[in-house]
Amino acid sequence: MHIEVKRLNKTFGAGTPAVDDVSFGIARGRLIGLLGPSGGGKSTLLRMLAGLEYPDSGEIRINGQRVNELAPQQRGIGFVFQHYALFRHMNVYDNIAFGLTIKKEKKTVIAARVRELLALTGLSGLEKRYPNQLSGGQRQRVAFARALAPRPELLLLDEPFAAIDAKVRKELRTWLKQLISQLGITSIFVTHDQDEAVEVADEMLILQRGRLEQQGAPQTVYERPQTPFVASFIGHSRTLEAPQRLRGFDGAVTAGGSAIVRPEFVEAGLEGELSHPSASEPGTVRHLFFRGTHLEVEVELDGNRLLANRPLDRPPLQVGDCVQVLVHRLYVVEGETVRLLDNPLKHDPFPVHI
Ligand code: ADP
């Protein structure tokens, strides 16, 4: 493994641990999305990797070498922060050259590397500009180029697009993903935005209350959440109040257990529209959310409120309408375990109700 973290711990003062017994490995060249709610421990973990914070216990290895005792500048790490943190009094060229200048590289070597990075980041021609003469997106590209200049082993990106507007942010993350896979540089990208993590990352690390909840490819994490937290955190999930009252799931959840359902697991429609009418039950439309490519319909039925996806080409629904609701599947949560359960009535070839 290129990056290895073993049983890392950090507690500030007498509080609860900010990072709690976290272990993981990252293969060379992978782009990792470090995802979790605010206060989950993402920044603390990143700062320990960078050498800006010292762990109470545990070990960090980069390329096989223990780096716990190394100063930040000795670890071969590049950073990109949320706020550009460019040197305002330096032009683009000098900003990108900075890491090489302090290493006292030859001027010709620096010039060649800066030229290469300007081309790579699409900034050629802007080298004489100062940060205040650039757009937010351009400044972040300069920050990438500056971080990449000394050829770091590991690139750390702390919410690099948080301060940039939505459209440019989307463009930048596609660009970043391409750039990182082209360069093959191991990178960790912190975000609290799951769409961003899902889109950009080869693998996600999900951190909550300092604990590593799950590591895996976005699709795996999405389809097979390992913990109740991940099941509820990923997707537009809803925890059901009374899952045993859902048609088809009456015996599914034991006392003390709960269930989580996502909109893509649920159909809500008018009589005759649903794929398995025998497994559906009536509900009332409470809200309609337009999601660009589809509608999300919030329905209330016998003690539960849940969300259902609805294609835009279906007849319109109104708040207050009575609809048929079919829950195709849900996650059953018992203690610390999560299992996916398909609606058993869906496979009934002989509908009992006519
Ligand atoms: P995230 O980046 O996921 O939002 P953080 O790593 O910033 O989470 O914080 C994790 C926990 O550690 C939080 O409870 C936070 O209040 C605490 N914490 C972080 N940095 C410090 C610090 N320097 N002093 C005291 N507590 C801190």
Side-chain angles (χ1 to χ4, degrees):
M1 283 287 164
H2 189 205
I3 311 295
E4 278 175 277
V5 166
K6 284 190 202 145
R7 310 209 64 171
L8 208 61
N9 285 285
K10 177 77 186 178
T11 303
F12 293 98
T16 49
V19 169
D20 188 359
D21 203 19
V22 166
S23 302
F24 59 88
I26 304 175
R28 187 180 287 279
R30 303 287 280 172
L31 171 53
I32 305 300
L34 180 56
L35 179 69
S38 183
K42 303 182 292 298
S43 299
T44 306
L45 176 58
L46 211 68
R47 291 172 61 79
M48 287 195 284
L49 289 169
L52 301 171
E53 204 73 74
Y54 288 93
D56 298 335
S57 62
E59 191 174 59
I60 303 167
R61 284 179 175 270
I62 300 179
N63 222 2
Q65 186 195 8
R66 179 182 157 102
V67 299
N68 289 45
E69 288 74 28
L70 295 185
Q73 60 275 19
Q74 296 171 311
R75 295 188 183 195
I77 287 178
F79 289 105
V80 181
F81 294 107
Q82 173 172 352
H83 296 291
Y84 324 105
L86 295 179
F87 302 115
R88 276 190 275 163
H89 60 285
M90 287 185 192
N91 65 21
V92 167
Y93 183 100
D94 290 333
N95 262 287
I96 298 175
F98 181 76
L100 301 172
T101 310
I102 56 169
K103 276 184 160 177
K104 300 202 166 40
E105 293 281 358
K106 279 199 198 132
K107 280 220 160 84
T108 50
V109 173
I110 296 178
R113 180 72 177 145
V114 174
R115 255 199 317 279
E116 185 188 352
L117 286 162
L118 285 166
L120 198 64
T121 52
L123 292 166
S124 300
L126 300 181
E127 48 269 50
K128 295 258 166 55
R129 294 231 190 138
Y130 284 83
N132 65 1
Q133 298 171 311
L134 300 171
S135 70
Q138 287 169 333
R139 276 182 243 172
Q140 264 324 42
R141 287 172 189 241
V142 177
F144 284 119
R146 188 180 61 177
L148 292 171
R151 303 182 194 278
E153 284 282 333
L154 173 64
L155 187 62
L156 300 178
L157 307 132
D158 194 358
E159 304 237 13
F161 307 136
I164 292 174
D165 69 74
K167 186 166 180 291
V168 178
R169 192 160 71 219
K170 237 175 168 330
E171 286 164 14
L172 272 176
R173 65 199 198 205
T174 310
W175 171 80
L176 175 78
K177 186 169 174 62
Q178 282 166 355
L179 181 70
I180 286 177
S181 69
Q182 183 186 343
L183 295 173
I185 178 166
T186 312
S187 306
I188 304 179
F189 177 101
V190 170
T191 179
H192 63 268
D193 175 345
Q194 54 161 299
D195 293 339
E196 193 156 275
V198 164
E199 193 179 315
V200 169
D202 298 319
E203 248 176 75
M204 303 207 288
L205 286 174
I206 300 182
L207 217 57
Q208 192 230 176
R209 293 196 193 143
R211 312 267 318 176
L212 179 59
E213 295 268 336
Q214 190 163 356
Q215 175 178 13
Q219 199 173 339
T220 311
V221 171
Y222 190 83
E223 288 174 355
R224 292 198 294 278
Q226 275 169 4
T227 67
F229 172 78
V230 176
S232 63
F233 185 67
I234 299 290
H236 290 175
S237 306
R238 282 283 169 96
T239 300
L240 299 179
E241 300 290 320
Q244 71 286 356
R245 287 202 223 151
L246 279 183
R247 191 159 153 62
F249 295 98
D250 36 329
V253 184
T254 53
S258 62
I260 293 169
V261 70
R262 297 205 184 126
E264 56 273 33
F265 297 171
V266 185
E267 271 185 273
L270 303 170
E271 204 77 51
E273 271 182 8
L274 298 194
S275 52
H276 295 80
S278 64
S280 72
E281 61 187 309
T284 308
V285 176
R286 291 297 176 211
H287 280 107
L288 293 160
F289 303 97
F290 178 62
R291 298 286 184 212
T293 52
H294 63 278
L295 278 182
E296 250 174 45
V297 185
E298 186 177 55
V299 285
E300 183 172 354
L301 36 84
D302 197 17
N304 288 303
R305 267 198 188 222
L306 39 90
L307 292 166
N309 280 351
R310 182 168 173 82
L312 292 177
D313 59 1
R314 298 270 169 87
L317 296 177
Q318 307 277 342
V319 171
D321 279 356
C322 185
V323 286
Q324 290 297 311
V325 180
L326 167 59
V327 178
H328 285 266
R329 47 176 33 185
L330 45 70
Y331 291 113
V332 177
V333 176
E334 278 150 350
E336 280 304 299
T337 67
V338 181
R339 74 191 150 88
L340 190 59
L341 184 69
D342 277 301
N343 188 334
L345 295 179
K346 259 177 51 178
H347 306 294
D348 181 356
F350 303 111
V352 227
H353 303 284
I354 301 186

